[in-house]
Amino acid sequence: QVQLVESGGGLVQAGGSLSLSCAVSGAIFKIREMGWCRQAPGKQRELVATITGGGAANYGDSVKGRFFISKDKTLKLAYLQMTSLKPEDTAVYYCNATVLTFSGFEIGSWGQGTQVTVSS
């Protein structure tokens, strides 16, 4: 069983910064990729950022230049540094990971989400 737990969400003023963390636990042989997505009420879930095991990052168009993803493979943590926040960034942010289990299967897992609210 793979579990992901997000933390760091909260209320921030427009133009400010906020950092999110994602902790991964479970019977994992290797983490292939980690990432973040977000979903606002009544809207579809959208990609925020992903990062591969080799450190290659990919960002959604709406956050490029403002959000930055990083990881600590030893500690099994992923981070999302958000800067120049806008009210439209308000959403529940979800962490996800694609992992290789000890039995040789690749599994995708999701966290429960953390609320980020940006006030104008």
Side-chain angles (χ1 to χ4, degrees):
Q1 182 71 34
V2 179
Q3 296 182 352
L4 284 72
V5 180
E6 303 96 337
S7 62
L11 176 65
V12 64
Q13 294 181 347
S17 300
L18 194 65
S19 294
L20 306 180
S21 299
C22 176
V24 182
S25 63
I28 301 169
F29 175 70
K30 182 182 296 184
I31 300 176
R32 292 291 181 85
E33 183 177 271
M34 297 190 69
W36 296 87
C37 63
R38 66 187 183 185
Q39 187 169 26
K43 299 182 65 178
Q44 296 292 319
R45 187 172 298 184
E46 65 175 338
L47 169 72
V48 175
T50 61
I51 187 166
T52 68
N58 180 51
Y59 297 94
D61 290 339
S62 63
V63 305
K64 285 183 178 179
R66 298 189 299 119
F67 291 11
F68 305 93
I69 188 171
S70 60
K71 61 179 175 62
D72 187 321
K73 296 180 66 175
T74 300
L75 298 178
K76 298 180 181 178
L77 294 171
Y79 307 96
L80 183 69
Q81 178 67 34
M82 303 180 291
T83 67
S84 301
L85 283 162
K86 306 173 182 179
E88 51 262 44
D89 293 319
T90 296
V92 177
Y93 284 70
Y94 297 91
C95 179
N96 67 87
T98 301
V99 306
L100 181 66
T101 69
F102 288 106
S103 58
F105 295 100
E106 280 196 354
I107 298 176
S109 299
W110 297 83
Q112 296 300 306
T114 184
Q115 177 71 46
V116 173
T117 302
V118 183
S119 62
S120 59

